[in-house]
Amino acid sequence: MGTAADAVLTFRDATDADVDALVELIESAYRGESSRAGWTTEADILHGQRTDPEGVREVVKAPDSRLLTVESEGRVVACCQLEHRDAYAYFGMFAVSPALQGAGLGRTVIAEAERQAREGWGVTEMHMTVITVREDLIAWYERRGYRRTGRTTPFPYGDERFGIPQRADLEFELLVKELA
């Protein structure tokens, strides 16, 4: 495959058959040594899992939720959760294969997710939460039109389904983008 921008991408909703591949993708993008191949790693701030098959399956089956799956040459290379919440959509579970990060694939995926949420649900905003110490990631979202709100929620310390924190100052900040 050439660059991510050159690849033929297929966007579709995930099914139960995709769960294992999606868990593997999400884990590879955020946890462990494999995540260090890309720039989205959380390996220095969180150990343990980022998600599990049950968590992915819940998103796939939830009535107002979709797990947008991106394939290239027959393999899953990216994904993101879209959840319809009244006048806005929630964007989460975003992962791009570490080997393909930095080539524009993430930009393409988020733009398509925003388009689908706006056109499919008629929402006017996209919301997401990002760990506040992830300044590089927040800056990336800001370059895509997201704004920091200053509204934070605590990290779920003690719930290992979300990882094992390596520092005591983790919290999430709400980022919002107006969808034109």
Side-chain angles (χ1 to χ4, degrees):
M1 169 179 357
T3 67
D6 297 334
V8 174
L9 301 174
T10 303
F11 291 83
R12 62 175 179 77
D13 287 342
T15 67
D16 281 341
D18 298 311
V19 169
D20 291 340
L22 290 166
V23 169
E24 183 179 327
L25 170 69
I26 294 163
E27 292 296 311
S28 76
Y30 291 98
R31 297 289 198 276
E33 286 306 309
S34 66
S35 70
R36 295 183 191 280
W39 68 273
T40 60
T41 185
E42 295 173 343
D44 294 327
I45 61 172
L46 291 159
H47 292 173
Q49 69 180 29
R50 171 77 190 257
T51 192
D52 56 30
E54 294 75 28
V56 171
R57 200 168 283 110
E58 283 177 23
V59 173
V60 169
K61 293 194 174 300
D64 288 323
S65 182
R66 307 171 55 197
L67 190 50
L68 189 60
T69 302
V70 185
E71 289 182 324
S72 178
E73 298 182 356
R75 67 184 186 99
V76 175
V77 296
C79 69
C80 66
Q81 171 191 11
L82 292 172
E83 186 176 318
H84 189 192
R85 297 182 180 176
D86 299 318
Y88 70 92
Y90 178 79
F91 179 85
M93 213 175 272
F94 185 30
V96 173
S97 172
L100 300 175
Q101 291 178 16
L105 180 56
R107 233 183 342 266
T108 300
V109 173
I110 198 167
E112 177 63 13
E114 291 166 357
R115 185 194 69 77
Q116 288 194 22
R118 183 180 61 249
E119 292 179 8
W121 292 326
V123 296
T124 57
E125 289 183 342
M126 186 79 87
H127 291 198
M128 71 173 72
T129 56
V130 179
I131 298 174
T132 56
V133 299
R134 300 289 319 278
E135 292 292 335
D136 54 344
L137 185 58
I138 291 171
W140 188 87
Y141 285 122
E142 287 179 312
R143 290 191 300 274
R144 267 128 212 101
Y146 287 82
R147 64 177 171 75
R148 298 183 81 156
T149 65
R151 296 188 351 221
T152 61
T153 53
F155 186 87
Y157 285 91
D159 188 343
E160 291 188 8
R161 290 178 303 157
F162 301 101
I164 303 166
Q166 300 303 296
R167 45 193 294 175
D169 62 344
L170 301 182
E171 63 183 354
F172 295 100
E173 182 174 355
L174 175 67
L175 305 183
V176 175
K177 179 178 181 177
E178 302 288 328
L179 300 178

